Amino acid sequence: MKSHEVAELFDQAVHRSIARAGAATCDPRVLPVLLTLAGSPDTGVRLQVAVALPMVLIDDHPPEDGVAALIHLCTDSDPEVREWATFSLGWSATADGDDVRRALWDRTRDVDPEVRAEGARGLARRRDARALPLVRELLAREEVHRFTFQAAAYLADPSLLPLLDGFDPTAEGVAEALLECDPLRRAQRDEAAWQVMTTLHLLRPDLRVALLGERCDLGLFLDIGDGPDGSGRCFVDALLNRAGYDPARAVELVIAGVTR
């Protein structure tokens, strides 16, 4: 091997290490370095950048050049790079907009099945109705990827229930999809969450209590605090399941937790 070839391999290894280290920092100041490495001729470097970018795009409104780099990597010639870039754009990051959705939609027609599943899940996570026919098609297949169940949960469309009913409810993602796609069960969950919050207001008026939902997440969260630095958050579904879906018992569990 010639000396320049050795030097090139050494540079590629260094660049991969830089990208991995950049991801570990979770520091937006690393973004310019990752943007430079995104154009590397080495597949391994581009893969590490695809993995690293969402770790530094941590703001609600991430820099446009960082999102654009991920969108470009979604079209990479290497399927593993495309898969990771589509995962990073659609699932790890919360960026949204016409360019993001167009990139995810394009990946739903990728030649690689893993990339297609990631594209559908990312599009559904943004509640984009274009994902609905695709998710119906994927649910009707003999083998269904777990990402498809997650996509169904985000779409929360009752028309998916007949397709979901045939799956094992204990399988990963199925129970969540069944809940979110069933308007009656979802309404019962939301009403129980409201009862928990209003009862907490009555019993503990000193607590700051609020119900909230994250823009790109499923379900509701109960935000609880007794001071400016004493807030906590619990997932409503987990709380209600622990309480046997009894709002009064859920309130007892919350009060016991904040008084410990």
Side-chain angles (χ1 to χ4, degrees), residues 152-153 155-162 164-165 174-190 245:
L155 290 171
D157 193 292
S159 69
L160 298 176
L161 281 174
L164 290 166
D165 281 338
V174 175
E176 189 173 47
L178 286 167
L179 168 62
E180 296 296 334
C181 291
D182 188 328
L184 178 59
R185 291 182 61 198
R186 201 168 62 245
Q188 289 172 337
R189 185 266 313 277
D190 295 348
Y245 245 79

Side-chain angles (χ1 to χ4, degrees), residues 22 25-32 55-59 63:
T25 67
C26 297
D27 190 332
R29 292 175 296 180
V30 177
L31 180 58
M55 306 302 292
V56 301
L57 300 177
I58 54 179
D59 296 331

Side-chain angles (χ1 to χ4, degrees), residues 48-125:
Q48 289 300 324
V49 172
V51 174
L53 275 171
M55 306 302 292
V56 301
L57 300 177
I58 54 179
D59 296 331
D60 287 337
H61 302 286
E64 292 183 4
D65 49 359
V67 176
L70 267 181
I71 289 174
H72 180 70
L73 287 169
C74 285
T75 65
D76 197 271
S77 59
D78 184 85
E80 189 175 10
V81 175
R82 292 201 307 277
E83 180 186 349
W84 270 102
T86 308
F87 167 79
S88 293
L89 180 67
W91 193 251
S92 297
T94 58
D96 202 357
D98 291 342
D99 290 346
V100 171
R101 296 188 182 207
R102 188 180 305 111
L104 294 170
W105 173 252
D106 288 345
R107 298 284 58 78
T108 64
R109 293 170 286 181
D110 199 278
V111 296
D112 186 279
E114 296 290 331
V115 179
R116 289 200 300 273
E118 286 289 5
R121 183 171 69 154
L123 201 62
R125 189 176 181 222

Side-chain angles (χ1 to χ4, degrees), residues 172-209:
E172 184 179 357
V174 175
E176 189 173 47
L178 286 167
L179 168 62
E180 296 296 334
C181 291
D182 188 328
L184 178 59
R185 291 182 61 198
R186 201 168 62 245
Q188 289 172 337
R189 185 266 313 277
D190 295 348
E191 174 61 26
W194 180 255
Q195 290 181 36
V196 171
M197 188 186 73
T198 54
T199 303
L200 279 169
H201 275 304
L202 290 172
L203 296 180
R204 289 291 304 272
D206 57 307
L207 292 177
R208 294 180 294 106
V209 184

Side-chain angles (χ1 to χ4, degrees), residues 1-10:
M1 184 177 292
K2 297 179 181 178
S3 59
H4 74 276
E5 293 174 332
V6 173
E8 183 177 343
L9 289 174
F10 178 77

Side-chain angles (χ1 to χ4, degrees), residues 210-228:
L211 274 176
L212 56 91
E214 298 289 353
R215 185 163 59 95
C216 284
D217 281 331
L218 295 171
L220 296 171
F221 293 87
L222 193 65
D223 197 67
I224 312 150
D226 55 4

